[in-house]
Amino acid sequence: MAHKARQSVDILLVEDNPGDVELTEHALGRSESGATLRVVSDGEEAMDFLRRRGGHASAPRPDLVVLDLNLPKKDGREVLTDIRSDPELKHLPVIILTSSSAESDIEQSYKLGANCFVTKPTDLKDYRNVVGAIDNFWLNVATLPPK
């Protein structure tokens, strides 16, 4: 049984591939969750957004972070480490959504505190289904931390 999605859910997508950003936007746009997707394209910008620095001073605190591992400037592992070491951010659920399926990446991500590890499918339909499953579970089934 699914819980009613809460109002105004913000998702921060940290993704440098414009094609994957577009696919994720499209998949979430088809969902009924009403989530707002915010996108940053590198690890440094992700931390600026999360810590509300610079051009992101008025950024909303996301309810969920979807994080790629292979990012410019600061990779996803470093971002995850920063999130988990920050008392203001460590409660945020972080989903790793990456092209890697390497056991070492999976193990390291969980050791660093990832809540979930998902390998990006290469098939368009499968990609949409995966994003839809993430959306459904995290926004309709799981209970997110209070704002």
Side-chain angles (χ1 to χ4, degrees):
M1 173 192 301
H3 299 285
K4 181 176 168 57
R6 71 179 178 177
Q7 299 294 332
S8 181
V9 174
D10 282 293
I11 300 172
L12 176 62
L13 175 63
V14 187
E15 174 60 66
D16 64 322
N17 181 324
D20 288 347
V21 170
E22 187 176 329
L23 287 172
T24 303
E25 289 173 332
H26 185 264
L28 286 176
R30 293 172 33 161
S31 81
E32 296 177 14
S33 70
T36 300
L37 186 67
R38 319 280 178 175
V39 180
V40 296
S41 59
D42 66 61
E44 286 182 6
E45 188 180 6
M47 292 314 302
D48 286 345
F49 186 99
L50 291 167
R51 290 182 173 145
R52 299 176 177 153
R53 295 186 299 216
H56 298 289
S58 61
R61 178 77 73 215
D63 300 291
L64 184 66
V65 178
V66 179
L67 178 64
D68 189 13
L69 288 181
N70 303 309
L71 297 166
K73 298 185 181 179
K74 179 182 279 219
D75 75 17
R77 295 158 200 84
E78 294 171 293
V79 172
L80 182 56
T81 299
D82 287 353
I83 290 170
R84 292 300 181 238
S85 65
D86 187 319
E88 296 293 317
L89 304 174
K90 67 181 179 180
H91 70 282
L92 292 174
V94 178
I95 299 166
I96 303 299
L97 180 61
T98 185
S99 56
S100 174
S101 60
E103 283 187 28
S104 59
D105 284 336
I106 296 166
E107 183 177 2
Q108 184 181 26
S109 294
Y110 281 117
K111 282 182 178 179
L112 292 174
N115 296 92
C116 182
F117 188 101
V118 179
T119 300
K120 293 177 189 173
T122 55
D123 177 78
L124 177 63
K125 182 179 177 187
D126 290 344
Y127 190 96
R128 287 182 184 149
N129 288 338
V130 162
V131 172
I134 290 169
D135 174 68
N136 182 54
F137 178 77
W138 286 97
L139 305 184
N140 294 318
V141 177
T143 301
L144 293 169
K147 286 193 177 227

